[in-house]
Each structure stands twice: as C-alpha cells, then as structure tokens.
Amino acid sequence: MPAPPVIARPGKESPLAHPTLLDRGVREIRRTDRGFDPARFIGYAAMTFRDVETARMARDADRLRDRLTPEMYADLLAFCEALRSTGRSLRFDDVEVTAQATEAWQDGDRDYLTVYVAGSMLGHTVEDATGKVLAGSETTPIPVEDFLTFTRPAGLNFWMLSIIQGSRELRGKSSGADRDHGVEPSGTI
C-alpha cells in the first residue's frame, strides 16, 4: 500500500520540498560559518545600500573603503571624482527599500551572497554653482531594483560589497542626462 501524500499546511513548506539554490548555498557557507543567517544579513545589505547612496551624495567613497572590495571602491571613488570635477551633486531622500537574499554560494575559498534590494527614493542631480536640477526630480520617487553581491574569504570573515547591478542608471550611473551634464561615471556605481 502506497504512503499517503504529504500535504503541507498553508504557510508551511512541504517536508519533501526540494532545497533551492539559495538553500544549498547557505548550507555551503554554514560549513565554515555555522551561525550564518541570511535573514539577519539582509538588514546589513539594506544598510549598505543606503550607505553607498549616502557616499555618492557626499561624493566621499572613503567612508566605505573597508566595506567594499578594491574594485568596487575604485568604481565609487571614480564616480565621486567625476561628480566633483564637473560641479555636480546627487541628492537622495526618502529612501524606502526592502531586501531579500536571492543567491548564496561558495567558489573556492570565497563565500558569495546576492541580495535583491527594491523600493523607491527621491533622487536628482544638481549643478553645484546654481542648485539647478539637471536630472531626476525633487518630488517624484524613482524605483529601486538592484542586486548587491557581497563576498568574503570563507568562514568568519567580514562581508564586502563587490557588485551592484540593476536600476542604478536611473540614479546617475549611466543616464544620458548625467552624461549630457558632464558626469561620466564608471563601473558598476
């Protein structure tokens, strides 16, 4: 006689459900960091997102140097220098985002975790000399949909932001409006 089917209660995952790639990656990471909790990590990821936006607005990459990979730091530094050299500033306000872990894996001796950050914020580019808004809006929120990938040496080590992918072109990465006003950001910032 066959076993009766397992029926999961609403809100509960079936005990026979297959682990996701995220689950497998978290298991790999936990082999060297037993206490790793992706649910707690997303708070750090959302904070890092806000801190990167604050650094871009202040045109000051140094405040994040120890939380970015060298490549990411170089990209943020170049972006800030481009703004400064062209007399432009970014303004952000009302940053409302949520975060969710989407991928985790180990590659050799490194851990990786990607977090999806979504929401909205007010953002615009201004000319420093006049305060004139050159791109964006002071009143209309822009969508945020970014993937932030963090890395670290496997084990109990500090996570560093290595890649930002997504809607950043809406906020100054490569929008034609910013290029038209002399801001030529580089890399993934």
Side-chain angles (χ1 to χ4, degrees), residues 28-29 31-32 105-112 151-159:
E28 288 176 8
I29 290 171
R31 284 186 289 168
T32 55
W105 70 99
Q106 279 189 326
D107 186 11
D109 62 348
R110 297 205 62 88
D111 294 335
Y112 294 89
T151 187
R152 68 179 181 178
L156 297 171
N157 294 295
F158 194 71
W159 289 95

Side-chain angles (χ1 to χ4, degrees), residues 74-160:
D75 285 346
L76 180 59
L77 186 62
F79 183 87
C80 293
E81 289 298 322
L83 284 172
R84 232 186 325 280
S85 70
T86 58
R88 307 293 187 255
S89 295
L90 300 178
R91 299 287 181 253
F92 298 108
D93 201 8
D94 296 334
V95 178
E96 298 291 331
V97 295
T98 60
Q100 174 184 348
T102 60
E103 289 182 275
W105 70 99
Q106 279 189 326
D107 186 11
D109 62 348
R110 297 205 62 88
D111 294 335
Y112 294 89
L113 184 73
T114 298
V115 175
Y116 175 67
V117 177
S120 67
M121 60 197 246
L122 293 175
H124 56 283
T125 303
V126 297
E127 185 176 49
D128 292 340
T130 64
K132 178 182 174 189
V133 175
L134 302 173
S137 170
E138 294 178 287
T139 58
T140 304
I142 54 175
V144 172
E145 286 192 87
D146 288 347
F147 289 90
L148 281 65
T149 300
F150 295 82
T151 187
R152 68 179 181 178
L156 297 171
N157 294 295
F158 194 71
W159 289 95
M160 299 180 85

